[in-house]
Amino acid sequence: MKYSEPGKKGKKTQNKDTATKYISFLKAALDYGIESELLEINPLEKLRFSRSKPKTVYFLEDKHLKKLWNLKLETTADLARDLSLLVCYTGMDYPDLEKFLDNPHSYLASTSTGKQKIIINRSKPPFGECQIPYLQPITIILNKYKWKVPRLDDHTVNRFWQVFESQIGFKDGRVTVKILRKTAGSLFLNEGYTLEVVQKILGHTSISTTERHYAKIRDKRVDREMDRVGVEFAKSISIDK
């Protein structure tokens, strides 16, 4: 279903997902008006859209990331690759990555075990907090630029991926910075992080969002755990014949 702008015949229509996103922005603004005591009610509070059909979700795998790291690139392409890797290893939306790169030190905090993590609020509604592991690849890239990473807009990074896809042998679909963010979630899950922790890393306000995106990976983890436990259990028992 398409939603057109009222009173503007011939104007570009918006698909359902885009319309829903715009309405969520408006709802957030109205909620702020209530919190600031400028409004008494939010007229959009009970407005709900039915969900669209689930999209095919795909990610970069370890083999693709390894090839991406090893590409011999020049200047701007090299920067596009590094910005892409930062999204993959943090899971940040691109605007949040840009905010983080303005002053990385200001977003670093210590965990209860004395390690470092990144704490940053998402720039898009509902502005959830992300608590992100501070992984070694992040340090490597920041050090490469002496913690002053130059910028490229997300459209430019996406254009470079038209070339990177073939260079790393990725054939599952079109890679964009949004796919790189989803790649982060898959990396964390494959490293053994629980779904609840990945939810916190990505700043999802509802765990159902995380489950919807990563159901297949979760199922693969269950299979691996069953295989692992089965082998260990078999080793721990002996049957007398």
Side-chain angles (χ1 to χ4, degrees), residues 16-17 20 49-55 212:
K16 185 175 181 179
D17 289 341
T20 302
F49 284 101
S50 59
R51 290 193 178 277
S52 302
K53 293 182 180 179
K55 299 178 181 178
R212 187 168 66 251

Side-chain angles (χ1 to χ4, degrees), residues 40-54:
E40 292 184 359
I41 61 170
N42 184 343
L44 299 180
E45 179 62 34
K46 295 184 179 181
L47 180 63
R48 298 288 185 273
F49 284 101
S50 59
R51 290 193 178 277
S52 302
K53 293 182 180 179

Side-chain angles (χ1 to χ4, degrees), residues 93-136:
D93 284 314
Y94 204 77
D96 299 332
L97 178 65
E98 292 181 311
K99 183 169 63 174
F100 168 72
L101 292 177
D102 282 338
N103 187 3
H105 288 290
S106 66
Y107 295 99
L108 296 181
S110 296
T111 68
S112 58
T113 58
K115 296 182 179 180
Q116 284 189 308
K117 62 181 176 180
I118 300 168
I119 298 180
I120 190 168
N121 284 88
R122 297 185 68 185
S123 301
K124 61 186 294 187
F127 313 109
E129 182 185 78
C130 304
Q131 295 199 26
I132 303 165
Y134 184 67
L135 304 177
Q136 185 181 21

Side-chain angles (χ1 to χ4, degrees), residues 22 46 50 61 64 69 91 94 117 134 138 147 184 217 234:
Y22 289 159
K46 295 184 179 181
S50 59
E61 298 177 12
H64 300 123
W69 274 106
Y94 204 77
K117 62 181 176 180
Y134 184 67
I138 303 172
W147 287 65
I217 292 178

Side-chain angles (χ1 to χ4, degrees), residues 129-229:
E129 182 185 78
C130 304
Q131 295 199 26
I132 303 165
Y134 184 67
L135 304 177
Q136 185 181 21
I138 303 172
T139 302
I140 291 172
I141 295 172
L142 290 177
N143 286 342
K144 177 178 177 180
Y145 297 94
K146 298 181 179 179
W147 287 65
K148 295 182 179 179
V149 182
R151 307 302 169 76
L152 295 173
D153 62 66
D154 56 341
H155 299 294
T156 301
V157 174
N158 288 342
R159 283 198 297 272
F160 273 103
W161 269 99
Q162 296 176 28
V163 178
F164 293 162
E165 286 169 14
S166 60
Q167 290 178 316
I168 66 173
F170 187 81
K171 300 178 181 179
D172 291 348
R174 177 82 173 87
V175 177
T176 64
V177 291
K178 289 185 178 180
I179 298 302
L180 301 178
R181 170 171 156 81
K182 290 181 171 63
T183 294
S186 71
L187 288 175
F188 290 125
L189 283 170
N190 285 329
E191 285 299 315
Y193 289 77
T194 66
L195 204 63
E196 290 78 9
V197 172
V198 173
Q199 175 197 2
K200 193 66 176 176
I201 292 171
L202 297 178
H204 292 158
T205 54
S206 170
I207 198 167
S208 62
T209 302
T210 318
E211 290 174 334
R212 187 168 66 251
H213 287 166
Y214 301 106
K216 289 184 179 179
I217 292 178
R218 181 187 56 188
D219 292 344
K220 288 180 181 179
R221 280 191 59 206
V222 170
D223 291 343
R224 287 202 303 268
E225 283 298 295
M226 290 175 66
D227 290 343
R228 180 186 64 78
V229 173

Side-chain angles (χ1 to χ4, degrees), residues 39-107:
L39 298 172
E40 292 184 359
I41 61 170
N42 184 343
L44 299 180
E45 179 62 34
K46 295 184 179 181
L47 180 63
R48 298 288 185 273
F49 284 101
S50 59
R51 290 193 178 277
S52 302
K53 293 182 180 179
K55 299 178 181 178
T56 301
V57 180
Y58 51 89
F59 327 93
L60 301 184
E61 298 177 12
D62 287 340
K63 62 181 180 181
H64 300 123
L65 290 173
K66 184 176 181 180
K67 289 180 180 179
L68 185 61
W69 274 106
N70 292 328
L71 290 179
K72 304 299 182 183
L73 302 170
E74 299 292 334
T75 54
T76 308
D78 186 39
L79 176 58
R81 182 258 309 277
D82 291 340
L83 291 169
S84 297
L85 287 169
L86 284 173
V87 176
C88 289
Y89 289 108
T90 64
M92 293 184 196
D93 284 314
Y94 204 77
D96 299 332
L97 178 65
E98 292 181 311
K99 183 169 63 174
F100 168 72
L101 292 177
D102 282 338
N103 187 3
H105 288 290
S106 66
Y107 295 99

